[in-house]
Amino acid sequence: MKITRYKKVQKYLKFYYNNFGFHQPYQVLIDGTFCFAAFKEHINVREQLPKYLNGNVKLLTTRCIIKETEKIAKKTHGALTILKQFGIHECDHKEPVSGAQCILSMIGKNNQKHYILSTQDRDLQEKMRNKAGVPLLYLHNKSPTLEKPSKASYDKVGHSLETNPFISEAQNETLKKIKKALGVEETEENTKVIIKKKKPKNPNPLSCKKKKKKPGDKQNIKKDGVAEGKVRKRKKTKNKMTAVV
């Protein structure tokens, strides 16, 4: 895995750890659509997900999800085989419901059991983005991808997108106290940037073109036999000394 991808995953997991209490072993709730995509792309889920999340992982599903996958077993036989390898969390549904409905009931309002949801279902993903504290995991270009925390998650913990959402409130308060003690606390005056106006500069004489002389502006028109602008020089005549006989 590339270093940039690894850093992103750890950054997002740290956000959920600081603000929503996620911890290892991570509980990954997997549905049939995710297993079908993994089977189609020949991805070993049991090996790839722990490596990608870089930690202990519990791969989980529900009876409702298995029942739903069994109904279309002819097309998803490989996905069903993968799905049955995972642990089962009881969903308390006496009669089987659809996989999406079962997952919604398992997540609830606050995702108290800290599930990381693995699904390729676009509609289900969109519903989960409106819930705070629900990490979304899906397959993109044959690789597991943990989605960036949603806006609902940011709003829940009271962070704007401009601040650092990956630092907890306690850590943020500690940083403020340290800055204040060291006398480096940021103020509005310090944050203002003074923009200096640039003064107009004289043109570079070497880059300037010489002015072309116009016919009427010639300075070499002679007046009284002397070119204009020139001083007539007198020739010095030496007096010949006549010899005295």
Side-chain angles (χ1 to χ4, degrees):
M1 184 169 61
K2 292 182 179 179
I3 295 173
T4 52
R5 288 187 71 230
Y6 171 79
K7 285 183 177 179
K8 275 187 178 180
V9 174
Q10 297 306 310
K11 189 178 179 181
Y12 299 157
L13 288 174
K14 188 177 181 181
F15 169 81
Y16 289 111
Y17 171 81
N18 288 332
N19 298 294
F20 294 98
F22 278 70
H23 54 80
Q24 296 188 40
Y26 301 118
Q27 298 194 101
V28 182
L29 186 60
I30 303 172
D31 72 351
T33 61
F34 186 87
C35 291
F36 179 75
F39 176 74
K40 188 178 178 181
E41 300 295 343
H42 306 286
I43 296 170
N44 190 328
V45 178
R46 293 176 70 88
E47 288 183 4
Q48 292 296 323
L49 291 191
K51 285 181 181 179
Y52 179 69
L53 298 175
N54 193 33
N56 296 325
V57 173
K58 283 184 179 180
L59 303 177
L60 307 167
T61 189
T62 67
R63 296 188 188 278
C64 293
I65 293 171
I66 292 173
K67 289 288 183 182
E68 182 186 54
T69 311
E70 283 177 346
K71 289 180 180 178
I72 48 174
K74 290 181 180 179
K75 294 182 179 179
T76 60
H77 181 71
L80 183 62
T81 305
I82 296 170
L83 200 59
K84 286 184 176 180
Q85 296 175 3
F86 309 145
I88 296 174
H89 260 207
E90 296 299 331
C91 56
D92 298 329
H93 290 126
K94 294 179 180 179
E95 294 295 329
V97 296
S98 68
Q101 288 178 344
C102 184
I103 288 170
L104 284 168
S105 67
M106 293 287 285
I107 298 294
K109 290 183 179 180
N110 303 317
N111 193 17
Q112 292 180 353
K113 293 185 179 178
H114 305 130
Y115 291 119
I116 297 174
L117 179 60
S118 296
T119 182
Q120 302 295 108
D121 188 339
R122 297 289 181 87
D123 293 334
L124 184 58
Q125 288 174 0
E126 196 60 38
K127 289 176 182 177
M128 290 303 163
R129 289 187 186 105
N130 295 325
K131 292 179 177 288
V134 183
L136 286 175
L137 184 67
Y138 51 84
L139 295 175
H140 178 68
N141 292 334
K142 297 185 178 183
S143 300
T145 303
L146 184 66
E147 190 173 271
K148 182 181 178 180
S150 64
K151 187 178 182 298
S153 296
Y154 285 113
D155 294 341
K156 178 72 174 178
V157 297
H159 291 289
S160 67
L161 296 174
E162 296 177 357
T163 58
N164 189 350
F166 303 100
I167 299 176
S168 64
E169 289 293 336
Q171 290 173 330
N172 201 18
E173 290 297 325
T174 305
L175 283 172
K176 285 181 180 179
K177 288 178 182 178
I178 292 169
K179 285 181 179 180
K180 193 173 181 180
L182 295 173
V184 292
E185 189 177 8
E186 291 184 358
T187 59
E188 291 183 2
E189 293 179 359
N190 293 335
T191 55
K192 288 182 181 178
V193 178
I194 299 170
I195 300 171
K196 293 183 179 179
K197 292 183 179 180
K198 292 184 179 179
K199 295 180 180 179
K201 294 181 179 179
N202 294 326
N204 187 352
L206 297 175
S207 65
C208 295
K209 292 183 178 180
K210 293 182 179 180
K211 291 183 179 179
K212 293 182 179 179
K213 293 180 180 178
K214 295 181 180 179
D217 294 338
K218 290 183 178 179
Q219 295 181 354
N220 57 357
I221 299 172
K222 292 183 178 181
K223 291 182 180 180
D224 298 332
V226 181
E228 188 180 354
K230 293 183 179 179
V231 179
R232 186 175 179 181
K233 293 182 180 180
R234 291 184 180 181
K235 293 182 180 180
K236 292 181 179 181
T237 56
K238 293 181 180 180
N239 294 327
K240 294 181 179 180
M241 299 292 292
T242 53
V244 179
V245 178

